Amino acid sequence: MPPRSATDAARSVPGPDAEHRPDPRRWRALSVTLVVGFMTLLDVSIVSVALPSLQTDLGATPATVQWVVSGYALTFGLVLVPAGRLGDAFGRRRLFLAGLAGFVLASAAAGAAPSIGWLVAARLVQGLAAGCLAPQNSALIQQLFRGAERGRAFGLFGATVGISTAVGPVAGGAILGLASGPDGWRWLFYVNVPIGVVAFVLALRLLPPGGGGRRGRVDGVGVLLLGAGALAVLFPLVQAEAGGLSRLWWLFGVGAALLAAFVAWERRVVARDGDPVFDPRLVTRTRGYGIGAALGTVYFVGFSGIWLVFALFFQTGLGYTPLQSGLAVTPFALGSATAAVVAGRLVERYGRRLTVLGLAGVMVGLTAAAVVLLLVPPSAAGWAIAPALLLGGIGGGFVISPNITMTLRDVPVAMAGSAGGGLQTAQRFGAAVGTAALPGLFYLVLSATDDYPAAAAAGLAVSVLGAGAALVLGLVDLGRSRAEEAAEQEAAEHEAAEHEAADDDAHGHAHAWHH
């Protein structure tokens, strides 16, 4: 018997879409999960503006303090796919509540950290908890919403992803500005505690029980292969500041071999009608998933790394405070927030065209920002760059939100957790590459030229290249979608013509019989 597709595999799951009864509390439940998602994703970038003061207060080396950012990103990315599968199997509400409790406790521990070692350990646990939460967000949208409502919900989710990453430096700078003093950085973590406690109480009341109905044995071998492979690829990247790329480059080959073994194992599990950690048919047979995940990966290379470049340029190069550095990139956050909300309402109508338009806007905006930094006096850079960042932000708002919707909209509900985890893992891989490559390039150009604007412009150039690669993928998907639409329209017209011919024949026979 031929292997079933991802969609076919989900048809035997109880509770198909046709029997779906809308939960009256679904929009309130969504608001709670989005607040939590915003908080966890904000922690990826909010700490970047505090690294100089944090390094001074704790007496840490630059390589060690970098683990405060990269350690969180590492554990976050490692647990996404297994956590999504566990949510599918044992209940998304249960995984969400457990992850939220762990995140709040780890945030409190990070805020109270007496040493850099304690802080890094707390951040590793915090990343694990955040990784448990993230795939439940997209999976709960699949579970709670259908049709046009699902598109709007994914639009809000995509807006949350884009805004939280972009606004992190602004929020971090504001908190450090209000909580001045040697321990001001601790409030970057303490602020999560009251928000998380309130969210936990609301989630306990509002989130629906149960998962997607696809219960079964968890694939332990798949979890180990995926975790080891992801760790081998990510570890040299998060160690880039300490020379990880030159010392640990051989781990990339090990990681590639382990991930290839993971794919082969998952195919074997599927062939035996088992429950894989990540079903390969999501990539090969679910429309839009594979290319959407690839687009998100290459886009996040530039999108995530550029905030560290801006923080280094404005704080180290121009002497800005963390708050001033955050405010300098506020136009991007404002543009992204506004456009993402609009894109969530338009994605069902315009689809991949929104992504293509947004990527073009990002490329133009970031190219203009690089030119401005090279041409204007450093004293005017913060103001002069604002229009270019606003344009780039508007473009970014039209990228992330529609891409998430387009990538996940045809995924079966029973596989929503692992699919969302897979998509976000791909984005985390891209973010890890970007946060390692862009600051590394910044320092490389700076050491060669002693020119901060040139170093920042080099980082922006890599972001433009990432957006360009994503644009190529978007155009390929757009062309394929148009070809599919044309084929479907031609088939519909052909079927209509056959029906019309059949009706004419029947009418002719009836007329002849009557006479």
Side-chain angles (χ1 to χ4, degrees):
M1 184 175 68
R4 300 173 298 167
S5 69
T7 305
D8 294 336
R11 284 176 182 160
S12 60
V13 177
D17 286 8
E19 299 176 8
H20 173 71
R21 294 182 180 180
D23 189 326
R25 301 178 299 178
R26 60 193 181 280
W27 289 107
R28 284 181 289 168
L30 176 66
S31 65
V32 174
T33 64
L34 291 183
V35 168
V36 173
F38 182 85
M39 182 172 63
T40 58
L41 290 170
L42 191 70
D43 265 45
V44 175
S45 58
I46 193 173
V47 184
S48 60
V49 296
L51 291 184
S53 58
L54 193 152
Q55 179 180 342
T56 301
D57 291 344
L58 294 179
T61 64
T64 305
V65 80
Q66 185 63 31
W67 269 95
V68 177
V69 175
S70 58
Y72 181 86
L74 176 65
T75 52
F76 192 143
L78 287 178
V79 78
L80 283 166
V81 174
R85 172 66 187 107
L86 289 172
D88 288 342
F90 301 113
R92 291 152 192 158
R93 178 177 180 268
R94 185 178 301 166
L95 262 291
F96 187 91
L97 293 172
L100 182 54
F103 186 83
V104 170
L105 292 174
S107 296
S115 65
I116 188 64
W118 180 290
L119 177 58
V120 169
R123 284 287 281 174
L124 291 172
V125 175
Q126 196 183 26
L128 287 172
C132 287
L133 286 164
Q136 314 314 323
N137 284 331
S138 57
L140 283 165
I141 290 175
Q142 296 279 79
Q143 182 177 335
L144 290 170
F145 298 95
R146 299 293 186 274
E149 278 194 348
R150 182 182 286 178
R152 290 196 296 273
F154 268 130
L156 292 171
F157 175 64
T160 301
V161 174
I163 296 168
S164 60
T165 307
V167 83
V170 183
I175 292 172
L176 290 177
L178 293 172
S180 57
D183 289 331
W185 59 267
R186 297 184 185 276
W187 288 98
L188 296 175
F189 307 109
Y190 282 145
V191 73
N192 293 330
V193 176
I195 298 173
V197 169
V198 173
F200 186 92
V201 173
L202 293 174
L204 197 62
R205 294 179 55 190
L206 295 174
L207 295 189
R214 197 169 66 98
R215 297 179 180 271
R217 185 173 58 86
V218 176
D219 176 18
V221 175
V223 170
L224 290 175
L225 286 172
L226 176 61
L231 179 62
V233 173
L234 289 173
F235 191 71
L237 295 171
V238 302
Q239 283 285 86
E241 288 293 316
L245 292 176
S246 59
R247 291 186 295 106
L248 303 171
W249 57 267
W250 53 273
L251 281 177
F252 290 124
V254 174
L258 287 169
L259 292 176
F262 167 74
V263 172
W265 174 262
E266 295 299 272
R267 286 177 175 170
R268 181 183 177 189
V269 172
V270 169
R272 294 183 173 185
D273 203 25
D275 292 298
V277 178
F278 180 82
D279 196 321
R281 294 170 297 184
L282 284 168
V283 176
T284 58
R285 302 190 188 182
T286 302
R287 184 173 60 178
Y289 185 85
I291 199 164
L295 189 153
T297 301
V298 294
Y299 178 70
F300 266 74
V301 170
F303 179 71
S304 297
I306 198 63
W307 308 115
L308 288 172
V309 170
F310 279 131
L312 291 169
F313 171 72
F314 285 119
Q315 292 185 54
T316 307
L318 301 186
Y320 282 22
T321 66
L323 177 58
Q324 290 171 328
S325 175
L327 290 174
V329 296
T330 298
F332 193 102
L334 292 176
S336 180
T338 305
V341 174
V342 174
R345 296 182 176 275
L346 298 178
V347 66
E348 286 298 315
R349 182 175 179 182
Y350 295 105
R352 186 58 76 189
R353 289 187 287 272
L354 287 179
T355 314
V356 170
L357 177 65
L359 287 166
V362 170
M363 294 180 69
V364 172
L366 293 184
T367 300
V371 172
V372 168
L373 291 181
L374 291 172
L375 295 181
V376 304
S379 59
W383 292 103
I385 203 175
L389 289 182
L390 178 64
L391 175 59
I394 292 172
F398 280 100
V399 175
I400 297 177
S401 172
N403 187 58
I404 291 175
T405 305
M406 298 289 292
T407 305
L408 297 178
R409 67 178 181 179
D410 290 324
V411 171
V413 175
M415 300 178 181
S418 55
L423 173 61
Q424 293 183 64
T425 298
Q427 293 174 350
R428 290 303 103 205
F429 270 110
V433 173
T435 52
L438 269 68
L441 179 62
F442 179 91
Y443 281 122
L444 182 66
V445 174
L446 185 64
S447 63
T449 64
D450 198 28
D451 187 337
Y452 277 95
L460 284 164
V462 176
S463 292
V464 172
L465 290 176
L471 178 60
V472 172
L473 292 172
L475 289 171
V476 169
D477 194 37
L478 179 60
R480 187 176 64 180
S481 297
R482 286 178 172 173
E484 289 176 353
E485 290 172 3
E488 289 173 0
Q489 183 177 357
E490 183 178 351
E493 291 175 352
H494 181 69
E495 184 178 355
E498 288 183 342
H499 280 301
E500 185 177 352
D503 289 343
D504 289 342
D505 288 343
H507 181 72
H509 285 305
H511 184 72
W513 179 83
H514 177 72
H515 284 283

